[in-house]
Amino acid sequence: MLKQISQRRAAVQARTFQPAVIHHCNRFRRTHAVATEAPVASTSASVVEAPSFRANLDFKFIKENVELVATNCKNRFSTADPRLVAALYDDFVALKTQVDSLRAERNENSNAMKGKLDADKRALLIARGQELKDQLAAVEERLTRAEATLQREGQRVPNLTHPDVPLGGEEAAAVLREVGAQRQFSFTPKDHVTLAEALDLVDFESAAEVSGQKFYYLRNAGALLELALVNYAFNKVVSRGFTPIMTPDLVKASVLEKCGFQPRGAGTQIYAVEGSPLCLTGTAEVPLGGIYMDRILTEDQLPIRMAAFGHCFRTEAGAAGMAGKGLYRVHQFSKVEMFVLSTPAQSEALHQELIDIEAGMFEELGLHFKVLDMPSGDLGAPAYRKFDVEAWMPGLQRYGEISSASNCTDYQSRRLNIRYRPAGGKDVGGADAAATASSGSKKAGKKASSGGSGGKTEFVHTLNATACAVPRMIVAILENFQQEDGSVVVPLPLRPYLGGMEVIHPPAAVRKV
């Protein structure tokens, strides 16, 4: 299990890029809504764009481990510059020291004026006070610019990387586990688009007219199959102790950024609402993470397991070709997402728990799939380690991603400001505040963070995992369970959610709604 974040960081070994000797797999090139680095900011002394929020970044760690962090950035193909961040931090500290010194001198000068003084002495103190005021204003302005630049550059630095993560690009993914085998057909298998259209499960043509390309209508058994998959996944995760939640589809851009996503700019995967701070979320991970933003939890509340049904919206910028055919890559889809808050000591075991839940469901559904340890160059900025699940899709003759599970350690919590108080620490605000916080009150959490004599707090770890991405699951089911006559056998675990339907047959007569 992971130790406290400071201990974990000290233990991570810097590694230079070497080709990984591992199992390779035939995979789609993905352009999903991964979290990205913030754009490079201007470091001009006159104009510095202030970041939208202040992250609780560990600049001291970066300064003291700059080569480790720089190597990590190189391994992750990141353009962040830890050496620049370390230099900016030195500048910030120097300016902060100067500001503190000037404030102390200003206060000393003000106190000297309180006694009975002759006119000349008072005039000198007044003049000195004005000088200090002017000097302080100038240095404070420089400090504000320095902090903005430091935050902007610091926020571009990705998370550290688990020492077992393979180094390299997507092709270096390591196969950790393989379940089942490719089905051998006595006929040439069709792809899911051909199957779904023949069974009247999907209508791409009408959706293109109404909404544009990469949208779809699910119809008849297709619509019922989505509901069956969602209910099946929800029942599975709730039975494992996850709290079921229905989340908003619109979130503030600032919350997206705090979770590590870049909501605006070239190449963004996020739909932003013009003239509004709101964006359509690409995953329920974001609104779930926001629930505990600016909160201080107690250690006995952790881990907190949540599962949400949400609609996901993604621009899929740059996606094209066979990998994006039909339902595989779309602009809107439904998903059941798991999200966990934990202590640092719990997070590694919880990461394994999440991937085991996913694998258990897919195995029960009868899919052939691989669990992959994703390489350093394929990790989004927040992820310390990420496992992907890729199922065999015989119609497309490829493995395709159907799920993932990520441990983001304290990357998101430092931005969302989610902390916990280790056992034995005195709760801020006394027993009443602690009781209110345990009931889930947002106000209590903010009150707890406002001050007091409580013990030291630490940042929680966050983890996320996909229980069911509906369109990808439909692709896998249709292509793997198709029959020669074009019908599709319904996996046994889904039949209770489909009114006992065993086989999806072609309709006797296709008619539009």
Side-chain angles (χ1 to χ4, degrees):
M1 294 191 295
L2 296 178
K3 297 181 179 179
Q4 302 291 357
I5 188 65
S6 59
Q7 295 172 314
R8 173 182 62 75
R9 283 174 165 165
V12 175
Q13 298 298 313
R15 300 176 297 159
T16 55
F17 178 82
Q18 296 291 337
V21 182
I22 52 178
H23 298 292
H24 292 169
C25 56
N26 192 12
R27 312 177 64 244
F28 291 140
R29 166 58 69 179
R30 294 160 295 143
T31 316
H32 47 65
V34 296
T36 58
E37 300 167 5
V40 180
S42 168
T43 56
S44 166
S46 58
V47 179
V48 176
E49 181 185 357
S52 63
F53 66 95
R54 181 183 179 278
N56 298 287
L57 303 180
D58 192 346
F59 293 114
K60 185 177 180 182
F61 174 84
I62 295 175
K63 173 180 168 57
E64 293 177 350
N65 300 273
V66 67
E67 295 305 320
L68 165 66
V69 179
T71 299
N72 182 65
C73 288
K74 178 182 177 182
N75 289 340
R76 295 175 70 125
F77 306 152
S78 170
T79 59
D81 188 346
R83 296 180 182 87
L84 173 60
V85 174
L88 291 169
Y89 178 62
D90 286 341
D91 293 342
F92 170 79
V93 170
L95 287 168
K96 183 67 168 59
T97 301
Q98 191 175 350
V99 165
D100 291 343
S101 177
L102 287 170
R103 286 174 179 168
E105 188 176 351
R106 181 192 60 184
N107 293 337
E108 184 179 343
N109 187 78
S110 297
N111 290 334
M113 296 175 62
K114 293 179 180 179
K116 186 175 181 180
L117 302 170
D118 59 54
D120 290 343
K121 180 65 173 177
R122 183 172 295 278
L124 288 172
L125 290 173
I126 290 173
R128 179 55 180 160
Q130 186 60 50
E131 289 177 3
L132 290 170
K133 179 181 178 181
D134 294 342
Q135 290 177 24
L136 184 58
V139 178
E140 283 179 334
E141 183 180 351
R142 291 170 57 198
L143 179 64
T144 298
R145 290 200 304 268
E147 183 175 22
T149 305
L150 176 61
Q151 277 287 324
R152 182 62 66 186
E153 293 298 319
Q155 288 179 27
R156 297 180 59 234
V157 176
N159 201 349
L160 292 176
T161 307
H162 191 286
D164 292 340
V165 167
L167 299 177
E170 187 179 31
E171 70 287 346
V175 178
L176 299 178
R177 180 181 175 190
E178 185 169 354
V179 176
Q182 296 179 18
R183 177 185 168 188
Q184 300 302 310
F185 292 87
S186 60
F187 57 92
T188 302
K190 303 179 179 69
D191 64 48
H192 73 279
V193 176
T194 303
L195 291 163
E197 290 181 335
L199 293 169
D200 196 23
L201 306 182
V202 67
D203 183 354
F204 292 110
E205 184 177 344
S206 296
E209 292 293 330
V210 173
S211 304
Q213 296 297 318
K214 296 189 181 296
F215 287 93
Y216 59 96
Y217 287 98
L218 288 179
R219 297 166 47 84
N220 301 313
L224 297 177
L225 186 55
E226 166 157 334
L227 296 175
L229 284 164
V230 168
N231 281 287
Y232 168 73
F234 248 126
N235 283 342
K236 285 293 183 182
V237 297
V238 169
S239 71
R240 297 292 295 265
F242 286 76
T243 300
I245 298 175
M246 306 297 280
T247 60
D249 291 332
L250 286 164
V251 296
K252 294 178 180 177
S254 59
V255 180
L256 274 162
E257 289 186 83
K258 289 174 183 179
C259 288
F261 295 87
Q262 185 56 37
R264 292 184 170 86
T268 182
Q269 296 293 321
I270 305 299
Y271 287 104
V273 179
E274 187 174 0
S276 166
L278 297 175
C279 298
L280 288 167
T281 185
T283 170
E285 167 192 345
V286 177
L288 287 176
I291 291 176
Y292 288 91
M293 184 168 57
D294 298 322
R295 293 280 298 275
I296 296 179
L297 304 167
T298 56
E299 185 172 356
D300 59 6
Q301 289 178 272
L302 301 172
I304 295 174
R305 297 175 173 89
M306 298 174 280
F309 169 80
H311 298 107
C312 306
F313 302 87
R314 301 181 183 181
T315 67
E316 295 296 353
M322 281 293 293
K325 185 177 181 180
L327 293 172
Y328 189 85
R329 196 179 301 285
V330 291
H331 290 309
Q332 177 183 340
F333 62 95
S334 300
K335 181 159 69 91
V336 177
E337 182 79 0
M338 296 178 282
F339 192 82
V340 181
L341 304 177
S342 78
T343 67
Q346 296 167 339
S347 68
E348 191 160 14
L350 284 164
H351 193 201
Q352 187 62 49
E353 176 185 316
L354 290 173
I355 194 63
D356 288 345
I357 290 173
E358 294 175 348
M361 288 193 294
F362 305 144
E363 184 172 10
E364 187 176 72
L365 289 171
L367 299 177
H368 163 50
F369 61 90
K370 297 178 180 181
V371 178
L372 307 175
D373 196 353
M374 299 311 294
S376 57
D378 197 60
L379 299 179
Y384 176 63
R385 192 179 194 181
K386 181 165 80 83
F387 301 135
D388 275 5
V389 179
E390 296 196 341
W392 175 245
M393 298 177 178
L396 296 177
Q397 286 294 299
R398 287 181 179 264
Y399 287 93
E401 180 189 353
I402 59 172
S403 186
S404 66
S406 298
N407 184 356
C408 297
T409 62
D410 64 352
Y411 183 96
Q412 292 175 324
S413 63
R414 284 181 174 273
R415 290 156 171 79
L416 291 164
N417 191 30
I418 308 175
R419 305 168 184 256
Y420 78 99
R421 196 175 307 287
K426 182 178 178 182
D427 290 332
V428 174
D432 290 341
T436 308
S438 66
S439 70
S441 166
K442 176 76 86 172
K443 290 182 179 179
K446 290 187 176 181
K447 179 179 179 181
S449 63
S450 64
S453 57
K456 180 183 177 182
T457 61
E458 298 183 16
F459 290 99
V460 302
H461 280 193
T462 65
L463 304 96
N464 64 83
T466 301
C468 177
V470 171
R472 300 281 178 93
M473 291 301 295
I474 291 178
V475 172
I477 289 170
L478 294 182
E479 296 195 0
N480 282 284
F481 296 100
Q482 61 180 292
Q483 304 301 298
E484 190 169 7
D485 65 357
S487 64
V488 174
V489 175
V490 176
L492 190 62
L494 296 181
R495 294 178 186 178
Y497 304 96
L498 287 165
M501 184 188 301
E502 297 180 1
V503 180
I504 302 174
H505 288 288
V510 178
R511 62 181 181 84
K512 297 296 182 183
V513 175

